[in-house]
Amino acid sequence: MSTKPRIVVLGAGYAGMMTTKKLIKNLTPEEAEIVLVNKHNYHYQTTWLHEVAAGTINQNQVRIMIKDIISPNRVRLIYDTVVKIDQDDNRVILENSELIYDYLVIALGYETNTFGIKGMDEHAFFIESFESSQLIREHIEYQFAKFHQDPNADESSLTILVGGGGFTGIEFIGELVERVPKLCKKYDIDRGKAKIINVEAAPSILPTFDKELVSYARKSLQERGAQILEGTKINECTKEGFIVGEDNELIKAGTVVWTGGVKASPVLTNSGFELTKGRFTVNGDLRAPGRDNIFVIGDCAWVMNKLEGRPYPPTAQAAMQHASTCANNIRSLIHHEPLEEFVFSDKGTVASLGVTDAMGSILGGKKLYGKPAAAMKKVVDDRYLFLLGGINLLVKKGKVRPF
Ligand code: FAD
Ligand code: NAD
C-alpha cells in the first residue's frame, strides 16, 4: 500500500483547477497522490454563464474537458458528485463511492441564494451552472418560437424579468439587449413586444460600485431597450412573474431569472461547516479553523481583509489567487515548513454590458467605458484561459481573435 499522502481537491472550477495545476508543479508524483473530484468531466467558465443563458456565445467555447488540461496520468480524475465530508474520519462521501484524504481542498463553488423568498425556488431560473444556464437559453428561445406560432398569445410571455441588479443580473441584461432583437427578427416579432426588465431592491443597481460607472451602465442598458426598476424589492415569485414593492404589484413575464445572491455549496452545511452570511470563514492560511488538513477556497470561503476588517469579495480573480496560496501551503505542510498568509492583489473589476460594451476600473482605479472596456474584459477572460491551459487553450477557446 502507498504511504505517500493523498490530496483530494473537490470541485473543478477556477479554484479547484488552478489548485490542482499548482500542486502538480509544487510536488513530485513520489511526494503525493493528487485526486480531483468534479460532478462532470468538463470544467466550465462560470464567468461566462450569463452569455450561455442569453444565447450570445457558442456553448462549446465555455466548456473545457478536464483531461485536456490535467493529465489523468498525473492526477486521479473522479467524475462524481460530492455528497458529504466526514471531517472526523478524513472521508469524502460521493454519490457512487467514498474517498479517504490526508489533505482536503473544498472548492465546490456557489449555489443561488433565494433568501427564503416565497416561490423563488419553484418558479425562477438560476444562472448557477452550465446546465441551468443552458436551460434559460432554451426557455427564452421557446417563448419566442411559441409566440410566433400564436400571434394572439399573451405578449407578457415574451417578457424577460431579471431579479437582482448585482453584477450577474446586469451582465445578463447586457447580453439580453443584444440577443432579444435577434430573436425578434428570427421569429418575425415586433421588437416593442419583447420587454427586458431588471428589478433591484437597493436604490441603485450595483449598489456598492462606483457611481459614475453605474450611471454609464444604466444609461447604456436603458438606451438599448432595458427597463431598470431600482428601489423595488421582490417579495414573491409566482408562475406568472414577480410580486414587487409596497403595493405588491405583479410584473408578468414568460421568463423569470433570479440573480439576487449566492452562497457556498450546500455540501458545507451538510458536513457541519457553520456558515456566516452564506460562506465559511477560513483562517489567513485558508484552512478551516481547528482542522489542520482542510482548506476551503473560492466561492465557499470568506477570507478576511485584515486591514479593512471585512472579507474580500468572492470572485474568480480571488478564487485563482486562493488556489496559489492553498497549493503552496499544502506543499509546506508536507515539507514541515511554515505556511503563508493569503494576500489579495486586486486587479480591478470590469463588467460586460453585451459583446461590444462594458465598464469598470482597472489597476490604479483607472475607469474604462465602452469599447476599450469591452476589449479589456475579453483580455481578462483570455488571461485565465492562458493561465489554465497555455497558448493552445487560448487559441481554441479565447475571445480575442487576432484575425
Ligand atoms: P465555480 O467556478 O463555481 O466551480 C465550482 C465547481 O465545483 C464546478 O465545476 C461545479 O461543477 C463543481 N461542483 C459543485 N458542486 C459539486 C458537487 N457537489 N460535487 C462535485 N462537483 C461539484 N468573477 C470575476 O472575478 N470576474 C468576472 O467577470 C465574473 N463574472 C461572473 C459572471 C457570472 C455570470 C457569475 C455567475 C459569476 C461571475 N464571477 C466573476 C464570479 C466567479 O464566477 C466566481 O467567484 C468563481 O466562479 C468562483 O470559483 P470557484 O472555483 O469557487 O467555483
Ligand atoms: P450579488 O449579491 O452581488 O447581487 C445581488 C443583487 O440582488 C444585489 O444588488 C441585491 O441588492 C439584489 N437583491 C437581493 N434581494 C433582492 C430582492 N428581494 N429584490 C430585488 N433585488 C434584490 O450577486 P451576484 O450579482 O450574483 O454576484 C455574485 C458574486 O459574483 C459577487 O461577488 C460579484 O462581484 C461576482 N461577480 C462579478 C462579476 C464581474 O466582476 N464582472 C460578474 C458577475 C458576478
Side-chain angles (χ1 to χ4, degrees), residues 117 164-168 171 199-201 207 232-234 258-262 314 349-351:
I117 298 174
F167 279 106
T168 303
E171 287 199 322
V199 186
E200 168 58 49
T232 307
K233 187 168 176 237
I234 298 160
W258 170 251
T259 63
V262 296
T349 301
V350 185

Side-chain angles (χ1 to χ4, degrees), residues 6-311:
R6 178 187 284 167
I7 308 164
V8 175
V9 180
L10 305 179
Y14 296 91
M17 288 292 274
M18 294 308 281
T19 301
T20 308
K21 281 213 67 162
K22 188 90 199 250
L23 283 170
I24 294 171
K25 263 198 184 154
N26 280 359
L27 295 161
T28 64
E30 292 70 36
E31 281 177 308
E33 178 195 1
I34 307 168
V35 183
L36 174 62
V37 183
N38 195 58
K39 230 181 230 181
H40 310 285
N41 60 355
Y42 58 85
H43 158 80
Y44 56 79
Q45 299 273 70
T46 307
T47 58
W48 300 0
L49 288 183
H50 56 296
E51 297 166 61
V52 174
T56 47
I57 195 167
N58 177 346
Q59 300 180 58
N60 291 331
Q61 203 178 340
V62 180
R63 278 197 300 184
I64 298 159
M65 299 310 284
I66 295 171
K67 70 170 173 42
D68 291 348
I69 304 295
I70 311 248
S71 166
N73 295 330
R74 179 69 175 85
V75 174
R76 191 168 145 210
L77 300 174
I78 300 182
Y79 305 129
D80 202 347
T81 299
V82 181
V83 179
K84 200 177 165 186
I85 297 150
D86 181 341
Q87 299 183 55
D88 293 330
D89 279 354
N90 289 350
R91 202 162 50 110
V92 179
I93 297 140
L94 308 176
E95 250 172 31
N96 300 300
S97 65
E98 290 190 5
L99 266 174
I100 298 291
Y101 60 81
D102 296 292
Y103 300 98
L104 183 69
V105 180
I106 306 175
L108 291 167
Y110 70 97
E111 68 165 352
T112 302
N113 195 348
T114 56
F115 304 104
I117 298 174
K118 195 173 162 202
M120 202 59 90
D121 282 307
E122 294 83 350
H123 303 298
F125 289 101
F126 304 144
I127 302 180
E128 194 173 55
S129 64
F130 183 76
E131 297 91 331
S132 77
S133 305
Q134 262 184 323
L135 205 58
I136 297 173
R137 170 202 191 114
E138 279 156 23
H139 179 84
I140 292 173
E141 177 118 21
Y142 173 71
Q143 293 298 328
F144 280 73
K146 197 162 63 125
F147 192 86
H148 174 71
Q149 291 290 314
D150 177 11
N152 296 322
D154 184 354
E155 260 180 49
S156 71
S157 67
L158 296 174
T159 299
I160 306 169
L161 195 51
V162 180
F167 279 106
T168 303
I170 291 306
E171 287 199 322
F172 182 43
I173 294 281
E175 299 302 314
L176 289 174
V177 294
E178 295 190 3
R179 176 71 175 148
V180 164
K182 290 188 179 135
L183 286 170
C184 287
K185 203 166 169 201
K186 180 170 174 187
Y187 292 104
D188 201 16
I189 294 168
D190 174 8
R191 170 69 187 89
K193 289 185 177 169
K195 293 188 185 134
I196 303 165
I197 307 175
N198 181 244
V199 186
E200 168 58 49
S204 164
I205 53 167
L206 304 171
T208 55
F209 205 50
D210 178 276
K211 298 274 168 288
E212 215 177 33
L213 294 169
V214 172
S215 297
Y216 176 86
R218 184 188 295 109
K219 189 160 171 278
S220 161
L221 297 174
Q222 285 171 336
E223 279 175 358
R224 288 180 288 157
Q227 291 178 38
I228 309 230
L229 308 180
E230 294 165 303
T232 307
K233 187 168 176 237
I234 298 160
N235 305 322
E236 190 180 335
C237 181
T238 70
K239 64 176 190 301
E240 289 191 299
F242 285 147
I243 294 177
V244 304
E246 287 180 5
D247 298 334
N248 281 322
E249 183 201 340
L250 170 68
I251 308 176
K252 285 176 81 177
T255 306
V256 177
V257 182
W258 170 251
T259 63
V262 296
K263 59 181 176 185
S265 157
V267 170
L268 275 99
T269 30
N270 295 343
S271 310
F273 292 87
E274 213 172 294
L275 304 189
T276 309
K277 291 192 177 163
R279 285 170 218 269
F280 183 72
T281 308
V282 292
N283 294 335
D285 57 18
L286 306 182
R287 285 187 294 180
R291 297 282 171 185
D292 285 352
N293 61 344
I294 301 183
F295 291 79
V296 184
I297 59 171
D299 269 14
C300 290
W302 283 132
V303 184
M304 286 307 285
N305 175 344
K306 287 182 182 143
L307 286 179
E308 294 186 11
R310 59 192 165 101

